[in-house]
């Protein structure tokens, strides 16, 4: 069965490696501009946005439930992960209520990530008029695409308000992120032209899953532009033959950073090309920090161990690595030079970079960047910095585990 799955996924694509090397000669470069970032990442960055950074479920769900309850035309949702519980029950009640009021609701879920939601739940939504579809369910006819999962979180209300980040419909995301069982997360709510980009990404996924095209004002309302608002844009990454948008995004951010580059990644397993980029950034004097999950709270131990196999090379180059201690660190954020930041679902691992469909919001705004840096500093107070002497104390068994896990993570 494993051999069949690997064959269907395509060995060359599954085991691919990026070939990033960094800036030519590592010479000092002028500051990155918004136009340059947009061109290199293939993401339109426009002014006129209202962007809110939401800390954990404590901030997210009250805001989200309020927007869903106020929907008048449409709700579209793509979700990778879910589990039955209070969050999904609240979501279900809101969606069914909106359908009864004439709102069109389109719900696309990943059947692998959402296997923790009972089938009866989706049947109840369908019976109430919600259009619910799985994305790439396992079938012989789709085996070649089955390993490329829909990891993007994209939720749009009335074609005018967008949400993305690392959140999921599970009770793990409730709370404040500072105690066991309360996952640490950061998400974004935004209005403005980028909502259409998020909706367009969803529409492409919906077309593949259902064969239906979403169009019209109910899905693409005139954007709620804020005069002198924040410059932002949505980067939607899909797997392909060449470098994905996610790979270009990280290569650009790491390769152009001048002073600071602070990354959160719940699943941190950079391939050799990205290790090289991070190391060279640190060598040219950039304050490179990575905040990731600890072995105590990670939900996927093989991911943690695979990432730990990269620590020695990174620490030796001057990259600083921290592990969050109170709970599972699941956020996927980046802030560069106090100038721009991003929040979404993209991890620094092969799956996010090359195999999955992903979404992230890029925000060119010093105020939002400062807000994210402040939150990052608070997280560091609750984290443990990993040093080279910690790795030297690893047992032979732990070293064997990290090496084997690094190979396994390439195919999971």
């Amino acid at each position: 069965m494993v051999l069949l799955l690997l064959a269907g996924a395509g060995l060359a694509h599954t085991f691919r490696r990026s070939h990033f090397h960094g800036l030519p000669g590592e010479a000092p470069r002028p500051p990155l501009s918004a136009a340059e970032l947009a061109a290199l990442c293939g993401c339109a960055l426009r002014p006129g946005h209202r962007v809110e950074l939401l800390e954990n479920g404590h901030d997210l769900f009250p805001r989200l439930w309020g927007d869903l309850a106020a929907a008048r035309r449409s709700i579209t949702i793509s979700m990778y992960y879910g589990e039955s519980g209070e969050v999904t029950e609240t979501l279900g009640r809101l969606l069914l209520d909106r359908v009864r009021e004439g709102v069109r609701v389109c719900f696309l879920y990943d059947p692998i990530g959402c296997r923790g939601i009972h089938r009866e739940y989706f049947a109840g939504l369908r019976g109430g008029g919600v259009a619910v579809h799985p994305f790439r369910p396992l079938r012989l006819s789709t085996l070649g695409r089955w390993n490329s999962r829909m990891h993007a979180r994209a939720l749009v209300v009335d074609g005018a308000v967008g949400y993305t980040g690392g959140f999921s419909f599970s009770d793990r995301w409730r709370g404040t992120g500072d105690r066991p069982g309360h996952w640490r997360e950061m998400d974004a709510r935004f209005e403005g032209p980028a909502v259409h980009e998020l909706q367009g990404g969803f529409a492409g996924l919906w077309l593949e899953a259902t064969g239906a095209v979403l169009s019209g004002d109910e899905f693409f309302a005139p954007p709620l532009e804020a005069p002198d608002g924040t410059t932002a844009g949505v980067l939607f990454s899909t797997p392909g033959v060449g470098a994905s948008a996610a790979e270009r995004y990280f290569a650009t951010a790491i390769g152009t950073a001048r002073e600071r580059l602070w990354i959160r990644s719940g699943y941190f397993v950079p391939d050799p090309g990205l290790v090289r980029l991070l190391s060279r950034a640190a060598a040219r004097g950039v304050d490179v920090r990575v905040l990731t999950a600890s072995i105590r709270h990670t939900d996927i131990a093989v991911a943690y161990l695979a990432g730990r196999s990269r620590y020695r090379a990174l620490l030796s180059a001057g990259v600083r690595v921290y592990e969050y201690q109170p709970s599972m660190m699941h956020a996927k954020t980046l802030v560069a030079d106090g100038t721009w930041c991003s929040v979404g679902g993209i991890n620094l691992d092969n799956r996010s970079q090359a195999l999955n469909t992903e979404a992230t919001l890029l925000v060119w705004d010093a105020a939002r960047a400062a807000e994210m840096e402040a939150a990052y500093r608070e997280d560091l107070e609750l984290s443990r910095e990993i040093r080279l002497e910690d790795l030297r104390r690893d047992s032979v068994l732990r070293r064997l585990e990290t090496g084997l896990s690094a190979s396994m993570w390439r195919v999971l």
Side-chain angles (χ1 to χ4, degrees), residues 226-294:
D228 302 320
T230 299
T231 296
V234 168
L235 182 140
F236 220 87
S237 180
T238 55
V241 176
S244 68
E247 289 176 300
R248 296 198 306 273
Y249 150 74
F250 270 107
T252 298
I254 301 168
T256 61
R258 290 163 50 90
E259 299 176 2
R260 297 187 302 282
L261 183 70
W262 294 357
I263 298 169
R264 289 192 191 98
S265 182
Y267 309 103
F268 175 67
V269 196
D271 73 8
L274 287 170
V275 169
R276 187 182 304 114
L277 273 181
L278 290 165
S279 299
R280 291 190 173 182
R284 65 176 185 266
V286 179
D287 177 7
V288 182
R289 305 187 188 197
V290 176
L291 179 57
T292 188
S294 67

Side-chain angles (χ1 to χ4, degrees), residues 1 37 67 83 110 122 186 194 239 305 346:
M1 188 62 183
L37 175 65
D67 282 331
E83 293 177 309
D110 190 283
F122 291 120
M186 180 172 277
L305 292 168
I346 304 177

Side-chain angles (χ1 to χ4, degrees), residues 6 24 28-29 66 79 87 95 121 146 164 199 218 242 246 249 261 272 274 284 286 304 331 337 353 390 405 412:
L6 289 177
R29 50 154 289 130
M79 181 50 59
V87 168
L95 297 183
Y121 178 83
W146 182 79
T164 193
Q199 188 76 300
E218 62 184 329
Y249 150 74
L261 183 70
L274 287 170
R284 65 176 185 266
V286 179
Y304 168 83
D337 293 336
Q353 300 292 303
D390 298 320
S405 296
L412 294 178

Side-chain angles (χ1 to χ4, degrees), residues 9-320:
L11 285 173
H13 192 63
T14 299
F15 290 102
R16 63 181 285 182
R17 291 187 176 191
S18 62
H19 298 284
F20 304 128
H21 297 284
L23 300 173
E26 302 297 334
R29 50 154 289 130
L32 185 71
S33 67
E36 188 178 3
L37 175 65
L40 290 170
C41 293
C43 168
L45 288 173
R46 302 185 182 95
H49 293 85
R50 295 187 181 93
V51 177
E52 299 174 51
L53 299 180
L54 303 172
E55 301 273 3
N56 306 302
H58 177 76
D59 288 346
L60 169 71
F61 288 120
R63 202 78 170 96
L64 179 57
W65 299 154
D67 282 331
L68 291 177
R72 293 293 177 265
R73 295 184 299 274
S74 67
I75 297 170
T76 59
I77 302 170
S78 69
M79 181 50 59
Y80 172 70
Y81 189 83
E83 293 177 309
S84 295
E86 183 176 328
V87 168
T88 50
E89 290 304 312
T90 301
L91 174 70
R93 288 194 298 269
L94 285 167
L95 297 183
L96 292 172
D97 176 72
R98 292 298 84 205
V99 168
R100 286 191 289 268
E101 296 297 323
V103 175
R104 287 188 63 182
V105 179
C106 301
F107 190 164
L108 194 63
Y109 68 94
D110 190 283
I112 303 303
C114 288
R115 61 188 180 274
I117 299 179
H118 302 312
R119 293 182 180 180
E120 293 78 10
Y121 178 83
F122 291 120
L125 291 180
R126 290 190 187 96
V130 177
V132 181
H133 293 275
F135 184 78
R136 293 178 184 165
L138 180 57
R139 301 188 182 107
L140 287 176
S141 60
T142 60
L143 191 60
R145 292 175 293 160
W146 182 79
N147 195 36
S148 293
R149 306 313 312 162
M150 181 193 70
H151 196 251
R153 278 77 164 172
L155 192 152
V156 178
V157 178
D158 288 339
V161 178
Y163 284 83
T164 193
F167 72 96
S168 293
F169 297 135
S170 164
D171 290 354
R172 303 185 194 206
W173 274 262
R174 298 172 61 206
T176 54
D178 58 358
R179 65 196 68 180
H182 290 203
W183 284 23
R184 178 69 176 101
E185 192 61 84
M186 180 172 277
D187 305 297
R189 178 194 186 273
F190 58 101
E191 301 170 7
V195 175
H196 281 188
E197 298 168 26
L198 189 66
Q199 188 76 300
F202 172 85
L205 300 175
W206 188 258
L207 177 62
E208 177 183 335
T210 70
V213 177
L214 299 182
S215 62
D217 286 348
E218 62 184 329
F219 294 107
F220 293 92
L224 300 173
E225 295 193 43
D228 302 320
T230 299
T231 296
V234 168
L235 182 140
F236 220 87
S237 180
T238 55
V241 176
S244 68
E247 289 176 300
R248 296 198 306 273
Y249 150 74
F250 270 107
T252 298
I254 301 168
T256 61
R258 290 163 50 90
E259 299 176 2
R260 297 187 302 282
L261 183 70
W262 294 357
I263 298 169
R264 289 192 191 98
S265 182
Y267 309 103
F268 175 67
V269 196
D271 73 8
L274 287 170
V275 169
R276 187 182 304 114
L277 273 181
L278 290 165
S279 299
R280 291 190 173 182
R284 65 176 185 266
V286 179
D287 177 7
V288 182
R289 305 187 188 197
V290 176
L291 179 57
T292 188
S294 67
I295 187 61
R296 179 182 176 189
H297 294 293
T298 184
D299 63 322
I300 306 178
V302 66
Y304 168 83
L305 292 168
R308 193 176 177 90
S309 72
R310 311 291 199 251
Y311 285 6
R312 186 177 300 277
L314 292 168
L315 297 178
S316 298
V319 177
R320 302 179 71 177

Side-chain angles (χ1 to χ4, degrees), residues 343-410:
V343 55
I346 304 177
N347 290 297
L348 252 175
D349 73 338
N350 184 59
R351 176 155 290 284
S352 272
Q353 300 292 303
L355 297 176
N356 289 343
T357 297
E358 301 281 6
T360 196
L361 178 70
L362 274 60
V363 183
W364 189 274
D365 182 74
R368 297 287 80 76
E371 183 181 347
M372 188 174 288
E373 284 190 344
Y376 198 100
R377 289 189 182 95
E378 291 177 3
D379 284 349
L380 293 186
E381 293 296 320
L382 302 173
S383 302
R384 175 172 176 260
E385 184 170 5
I386 306 302
R387 303 184 185 278
L388 280 171
E389 51 264 32
D390 298 320
L391 302 183
R392 296 188 187 105
R393 287 194 291 266
D394 281 353
S395 66
V396 174
L397 178 59
R398 173 53 56 88
R399 295 178 186 182
L400 180 61
E401 287 177 327
T402 58
L404 291 174
S405 296
S407 298
M408 290 175 60
W409 187 244
R410 303 289 300 283

